[in-house]
Amino acid sequence: MGASGAQRTPLRQAVQIGLIFGVVGVYLSLVGMVETFHGRAVIAGVISLGQALLLLTGLGAGFVVARRIPKDRPWHSVAYGALAGSLAGLVLFTLPLLGNFVHLRSMFVNASPTLFELLTFGRGLVRGGLLLLVVGAFLGMSSVLILRIPRRILRPVGVGVTTIFLVSLFQEQLEIMLAGPEAIEEIRRFLFDVRGLTIPGASFLLVVTAVGNALWTKYRESIRQRANQLPAAGQKSLRALLLVAGILLVLILPIVTGSFFAQVLVFVGLYTLMGFGLNVDLGFAGLFDLGFVAFFAIGAYTAALLTSQGPLGIAHISFWGAIPIVVLMSLLAGVMLGVPVLGIRGDYLAIATLGFGEIIRLLVLSDFLRPWLGGSQGILEIPKPMIFGFELATPQQIFYVTVIFCVVVAYIAWRLRDSRIGRAWIAIREDEDVAAAMGINLINAKLLAFGIGASFAGVAGAIFASMVGSVFPHSFNLFISINVLALLIVGGLGSLPGVVVGSLALIGLPELLREFSEFRLLVYGAALVAMMLLRPEGLWPEPVRRRELREFEPGVQPVAEEALAGTKGQVEVERL
Amino acid sequence: MIAIQRIWWQRLSFVNLFLWAFRIAVIVVVIWGTAGTLMAGKYQREHWIFFTVFGLAQGGIYALIALGYTMVYGILRMINFAHGEVFMSGAYTAYFAAAALYNSGYLNRHPLISFLILLSIAMSVSMGVAVLLERIAYRPLRYAPRLVPLITAIGASFFLQYTFRGLYGSGFKAYPEFDVLKGDWIIFGVPVLRTQVLVLVASVLMMVGLYTFVMRTKIGTAMRAVSEDMDAAALMGVNVDRVIAITFAVGGAMAGAAGVLYAMVFKQVHFFMGFVPGIKAFTSAVLGGIGNIPGAMLGGMFLGLIESIGPALILDGLGIVAPYQLKDVIAFTMLVMVLIFRPSGILGERLAVKKA
């Protein structure tokens, strides 16, 4: 809408916004989200997730109106908000109206009578439709009005409402965590109904988080000042204390939360390992590898062949004995696949490596290599890791193995970044020709990056193989490469904590929300697009770069945030 | 100075040696396999003709999709990863029209009109999806670093796939068959599947139409100008935003047409059907020289042929079991080899090293 938006009259803008949000509502309904989410209550007996989704659409229309339309005449924008909201309701109403005359379901599988009933509040076409218009207008109007409330009050309430949503979304996981002694059971029963929160539970959460947030906003500064005024030794011990607390939290987490959560964390850990690997390639050296799953597969298959007790096993050695060989093999594979593509840059490199990844998957899958790699039947009977004759079989135990490898790999990656070769990689990333002119051996540096990155992914593959107990070619598809790439970008390219943050956000969250798995990749795709449009630098950008860019920024304001993205953009234009 | 140069030369030679060994190995494998197959005499003349026609029909579809990749790359220097989904959206939506026409019996009473109706529905849906995609996801990122639009395209690709899964359901849908196109026609004494003839003719007509559009019309000229130099074109009074939107629209329409043809050959549609043809079409675009319209057509045909003839001609002779499982390996190997040895493709300029 950008530049031309300024010339449009507020009326036209409000109409446009209303129509757009109406279409969004229709989309959410037809794609099946509204009905599926309707099965889950936010607060039992009061509001379901599906209804909340539609409410948010109406509120969103008003919100955009309040943002877009000039505020010089305050009551006009309230009217425009109501207009936009009711228009959105009108567009949404066309769905049950159309469904009444045409058999929509032969095309759109989700256009069910249940959905129509939900949209018309179960009150028939005429009364329900009118109600939809009124509710839409009310939502649009109230959204404009809500934004008038001073921030001091709005923010804690907003945090409270968000918490209620999150708690109800993760209800299943939280209930597992709260199962146990009678006292804790009591809390669980106070908070949760069979599906959704109880009314007292929800109000309790709202009050607690709102008050907590208000207090935190009020005293944040003084706490921070107090911490800064501590003597150097005190500050150091405070930091150490926080670190120990963090480590303890990570170690205790899977025990408290049960094996499902531990399993999810193992996946997060494996993706973190691969993320560290791709970070060496792409984040440090700027080598865009979209076939990264190949090294994961090579690691997994090497470990499987070496350790399997089945007919395809060749060495029958232990998991720990296989690890060095896995590292070596995947390192070699990285170098071997790196040599032919040395001269290719940018997205062409991405496509070439994507080709390699697919070739390896198809070869493993084929009947041609079946006598050695098992074809689509895979390799079975891979033993679990053992320590002193004790088998590490449960997800919690595998989680600790993964954490140990993650810590080691993170340490290696961190030391590499600040080493001579790390600086060489960064130089290559910024400008290959200049780096070569400065005396950096491009071939060695690039091959080393490919090899080291591949070896990290190989370790992840080995853990994966022994955790699952079998390997199949179907586990190694392009989606894994894309996931690893996406988590790097979402976390912040080149940043090591960013890798962890990215894999928690992109792997952990969707795994926890298995219940809505139908919409997992839909939301995933939308989130990737939104992320690139709104915050392309990632959730946890590289500290060096952030510092570099912040030097020129007067304050930390939303505007500065945008300028940051812009400046970073310029830096990165040079890069690829 | 001389010493440094020699070190460079020495180190380069190790990589060059490897690449030469790779080249020679590939050539030896190809000759060995071909000789083995031809000497075994397992396939007759009819087989080869069947493979050729099948490959050309398949290649025509790849070429139509590849046009979208190549035109967008030519202008924005960006790989539109979601183009496979644009292709799927048209084919999938047209399915419902096809089913309705079939059930009413109109499809077999007026096959030509029905075919045109299906084409126009698929083309307009794909066009709409492509234009929306450009407007919402790509336009705000036109000057962003190159990684950003690529990630956006990947995200958009997931989003579109699962949107259509949500809208139309997750099962395979069987495309109705035209009675006229069942069986085969005898051409030069050889039986050829009727569907494939139709696909081949239709895709060639489409490509000729597109080529004329790009070379002869005013908008086509504007497209070529923008692809040559966006800023200069803007200074010359070309509305760049509009031209880019039209490029996406035309590319989308071609993909939609390809979608209907693909559905007629394989007789089913699915929300995930765009992925593999998308990658193949991109390979064709690269093969022909990305950014180059005749190149994309040539590349598509070439890839289709290689894929259908290759497994029998090369792999069978090597004694590989079930060579058709490896036809995608041949396609991807072609892709990688073109990128390594001739990044400019068959007809294109040298892009992979310079501009990328």
Side-chain angles (χ1 to χ4, degrees):
Chain A
M1 264 133 252
S4 57
Q7 292 139 22
R8 292 200 197 120
T9 61
L11 183 68
R12 264 189 71 184
Q13 269 188 305
V15 169
Q16 200 180 12
I17 292 165
L19 291 180
I20 289 176
F21 274 86
V23 171
V24 169
V26 170
Y27 170 82
L28 290 175
S29 308
L30 281 183
V31 98
M33 275 186 160
V34 172
E35 199 186 328
T36 312
F37 286 12
H38 188 54
R40 270 285 296 273
V42 179
I43 302 169
V46 180
I47 182 175
S48 75
L49 265 179
Q51 288 165 332
L53 203 62
L54 288 179
L55 289 188
L56 278 180
T57 317
L59 286 175
F63 181 76
V64 175
V65 167
R67 275 292 177 85
R68 282 276 161 78
I69 290 178
K71 297 178 183 65
D72 42 356
R73 278 182 294 182
W75 293 107
H76 281 217
S77 66
V78 175
Y80 287 132
L83 175 69
S86 62
L87 263 178
L90 187 68
V91 174
L92 201 53
F93 177 62
T94 54
L95 202 57
L97 190 68
L98 213 66
N100 202 26
F101 299 111
V102 191
H103 186 57
L104 275 182
R105 208 168 187 184
S106 59
M107 187 161 175
F108 299 107
V109 283
N110 287 307
S112 64
T114 328
L115 175 73
F116 297 152
E117 207 180 296
L118 183 69
L119 289 180
T120 51
F121 304 94
R123 296 186 183 211
L125 212 53
V126 181
R127 275 204 285 169
L130 281 175
L131 200 58
L132 198 59
L133 284 188
V134 174
V135 170
F138 174 71
L139 285 175
M141 197 166 70
S142 47
S143 169
V144 176
L145 286 176
I146 284 171
L147 287 178
R148 301 266 172 81
I149 301 172
R151 274 204 108 120
R152 193 158 47 83
I153 302 168
L154 192 60
R155 182 187 287 259
V157 174
V159 169
V161 172
T162 317
T163 315
I164 290 179
F165 268 108
L166 288 179
V167 168
S168 74
L169 206 58
F170 290 105
Q171 179 182 6
E172 209 175 306
Q173 283 73 40
L174 289 171
E175 282 200 286
I176 294 171
M177 286 165 69
L178 290 176
E182 193 51 36
I184 300 179
E185 277 296 304
E186 205 55 48
I187 302 178
R188 184 178 72 84
R189 250 171 274 147
F190 169 67
L191 282 178
F192 295 114
D193 207 323
V194 183
R195 309 215 112 200
L197 290 159
T198 57
I199 297 176
S203 11
F204 172 75
L205 275 179
L206 180 69
V207 171
V208 166
T209 45
V211 170
N213 182 269
L215 288 179
W216 171 245
T217 335
K218 199 168 176 193
Y219 294 111
R220 186 175 48 187
E221 273 315 303
S222 64
I223 292 175
R224 195 169 286 167
Q225 266 173 16
R226 195 95 54 86
N228 282 342
Q229 278 160 7
L230 282 176
Q235 272 191 25
K236 207 170 180 181
S237 57
L238 189 69
R239 221 170 285 151
L241 203 71
L242 282 176
L243 192 70
V244 169
I247 292 172
L248 274 181
L249 190 72
V250 170
L251 291 183
I252 292 174
L253 203 59
I255 300 175
V256 178
T257 53
S259 61
F260 172 71
F261 204 80
Q263 186 76 48
V264 172
L265 284 178
V266 170
F267 275 113
V268 171
L270 292 181
Y271 272 101
T272 308
L273 277 175
M274 282 193 274
F276 282 135
L278 188 60
N279 198 32
V280 171
D281 284 5
L282 180 61
F284 295 170
L287 300 167
F288 197 165
D289 192 336
L290 205 49
F292 207 61
V293 66
F295 306 121
F296 183 63
I298 287 169
Y301 266 88
T302 312
L305 286 174
L306 288 173
T307 63
S308 170
Q309 305 293 319
L312 290 169
I314 50 172
H316 309 293
I317 57 177
S318 75
F319 172 76
W320 303 104
I323 285 286
I325 308 177
V326 166
V327 170
L328 202 69
M329 278 300 292
S330 37
L331 198 128
L332 272 178
V335 173
M336 289 293 286
L337 292 186
V339 170
V341 297
L342 274 177
I344 309 178
R345 294 182 191 179
D347 13 358
Y348 273 78
L349 180 60
I351 299 300
T353 47
L354 185 151
F356 276 137
E358 285 294 290
I359 290 173
I360 287 180
R361 185 179 67 84
L362 290 164
L363 281 179
V364 172
L365 187 62
S366 69
D367 288 344
F368 169 51
L369 294 176
R370 172 183 292 227
W372 300 280
L373 299 177
S376 56
Q377 265 93 52
I379 302 177
L380 310 172
E381 292 177 57
I382 302 166
K384 305 277 179 207
M386 310 272 277
I387 287 186
F388 308 123
F390 178 70
E391 193 178 52
L392 302 172
T394 67
Q396 279 99 331
Q397 288 156 344
I398 298 278
F399 167 73
Y400 293 121
V401 175
T402 318
V403 166
I404 290 167
F405 276 107
C406 277
V407 170
V408 172
V409 163
Y411 181 74
I412 295 174
W414 173 54
R415 296 304 298 165
L416 273 175
R417 187 187 59 189
D418 297 337
S419 70
R420 190 183 171 81
I421 182 72
R423 291 196 302 273
W425 285 334
I426 291 169
I428 292 176
R429 177 185 78 190
E430 298 300 340
D431 192 319
E432 237 180 270
D433 301 327
V434 173
M438 298 304 282
I440 291 169
N441 185 332
L442 287 185
I443 295 171
N444 287 356
K446 279 187 174 184
L447 289 183
L448 210 57
F450 275 124
I452 290 174
S455 67
F456 292 174
V459 172
I463 299 175
F464 176 77
S466 92
M467 174 186 77
V468 180
S470 51
V471 288
F472 303 102
H474 297 289
S475 324
F476 305 104
N477 49 31
L478 179 64
F479 185 56
I480 294 186
S481 307
I482 289 178
N483 253 336
V484 177
L485 173 67
L487 77 87
L488 267 193
I489 306 285
V490 167
L493 196 58
S495 133
L496 295 176
V499 174
V500 183
V501 172
S503 57
L504 277 174
L506 283 191
I507 313 300
L509 272 187
E511 287 285 335
L512 283 182
L513 293 174
R514 281 244 164 220
E515 206 180 335
F516 306 116
S517 59
E518 225 181 297
F519 305 109
R520 207 163 80 141
L521 289 169
L522 182 76
V523 175
Y524 182 93
L528 273 189
V529 175
M531 180 91 194
M532 289 301 103
L533 291 175
L534 303 174
R535 197 182 158 89
E537 78 271 24
L539 293 173
W540 192 319
E542 204 180 1
V544 179
R545 173 160 301 137
R546 191 163 47 179
R547 206 165 47 218
E548 272 172 13
L549 296 169
R550 285 276 159 96
E551 266 177 24
F552 309 102
E553 305 301 340
V556 195
Q557 306 211 323
V559 186
E561 216 39 64
E562 263 179 45
L564 187 76
T567 332
K568 182 179 155 66
Q570 281 170 7
V571 172
E572 263 189 73
V573 166
E574 252 56 83
R575 187 193 285 182
L576 281 173
Chain B
M1 200 59 204
I2 295 163
I4 291 168
Q5 272 178 352
R6 204 175 65 225
I7 290 165
W8 250 108
W9 179 79
Q10 278 173 340
R11 286 190 180 140
L12 254 176
S13 73
F14 136 72
V15 174
N16 280 354
L17 213 67
F18 185 93
L19 291 181
W20 271 108
F22 186 52
R23 259 182 245 215
I24 292 168
V26 168
I27 292 171
V28 166
V29 164
V30 167
I31 292 175
W32 186 271
T34 313
T37 308
L38 293 181
M39 283 202 287
K42 189 171 152 194
Y43 298 97
Q44 307 304 318
R45 184 166 152 267
E46 290 84 61
H47 290 127
W48 294 119
I49 292 175
F50 174 80
F51 288 146
T52 310
V53 177
F54 181 80
L56 284 177
Q58 182 76 22
I61 295 173
Y62 290 158
L64 283 180
I65 311 174
L67 288 171
Y69 279 106
T70 235
M71 290 196 300
V72 167
Y73 195 92
I75 289 185
L76 294 179
R77 300 270 174 270
M78 152 200 176
I79 300 170
N80 180 9
F81 227 94
H83 193 60
E85 271 56 61
V86 171
F87 155 83
M88 174 271 293
S89 64
Y92 209 163
T93 310
Y95 157 78
F96 294 100
L101 289 173
Y102 181 78
N103 289 337
S104 68
Y106 189 84
L107 188 80
N108 285 318
R109 264 182 279 130
H110 304 277
L112 187 65
I113 299 176
S114 304
F115 178 63
L116 291 180
I117 291 175
L118 291 187
L119 266 190
S120 56
I121 289 177
M123 285 170 86
S124 41
V125 169
S126 289
M127 198 190 261
V129 170
V131 170
L132 275 180
L133 187 68
E134 193 270 334
R135 182 67 192 80
I136 296 171
Y138 299 153
R139 191 178 293 181
L141 298 173
R142 201 167 291 158
Y143 300 102
R146 299 178 67 103
L147 255 178
V148 172
L150 188 71
I151 300 286
T152 312
I154 291 174
S157 160
F158 281 123
F159 180 76
L160 287 175
Q161 265 173 25
Y162 284 84
T163 293
F164 282 92
R165 180 185 190 270
L167 292 180
Y168 300 151
S170 58
F172 284 89
K173 303 250 196 277
Y175 235 69
E177 274 186 83
F178 288 74
D179 282 339
V180 199
L181 294 173
K182 282 180 184 155
D184 36 34
W185 277 314
I186 308 290
I187 298 174
F188 300 121
V190 186
V192 177
L193 283 179
R194 292 183 183 187
T195 335
Q196 289 175 355
V197 176
L198 170 84
V199 168
L200 198 53
V201 171
S203 54
V204 168
L205 280 180
M206 290 277 184
M207 284 186 265
V208 171
L210 179 88
Y211 193 72
T212 336
F213 173 74
V214 173
M215 299 314 279
R216 294 287 162 80
T217 63
K218 203 161 181 182
I219 297 173
T221 315
M223 277 163 70
R224 283 183 289 137
V226 172
S227 126
E228 199 66 43
D229 188 331
M230 202 187 281
D231 297 330
L235 291 177
M236 290 300 172
V238 176
N239 184 345
V240 173
D241 276 350
R242 195 163 146 260
V243 168
I244 291 176
I246 291 173
T247 308
F248 270 86
V250 174
M254 290 293 137
V260 171
L261 298 179
Y262 187 88
M264 289 175 76
V265 174
F266 292 94
K267 298 187 177 60
Q268 62 180 17
V269 286
H270 185 233
F271 76 94
F272 203 62
M273 68 185 271
F275 177 69
V276 174
I279 290 191
K280 298 284 182 59
F282 178 75
T283 307
S284 328
V286 174
L287 268 178
I290 195 156
N292 183 323
I293 290 173
M297 302 174 188
L298 204 68
M301 294 293 184
F302 188 58
L303 187 74
L305 274 182
I306 286 267
E307 253 189 34
S308 80
I309 297 181
L313 187 64
I314 300 164
L315 299 180
D316 210 349
L318 295 171
I320 288 174
V321 263
Y324 269 90
Q325 286 180 339
L326 295 180
K327 85 181 164 84
D328 288 357
V329 171
I330 294 189
F332 287 121
T333 312
M334 286 290 301
L335 171 69
V336 172
M337 283 182 35
V338 167
L339 284 174
I340 295 171
F341 297 118
R342 196 180 156 77
S344 51
I346 303 172
L347 297 179
E349 47 176 334
R350 194 173 170 77
L351 276 176
V353 177
K354 277 185 188 158
K355 291 195 186 170

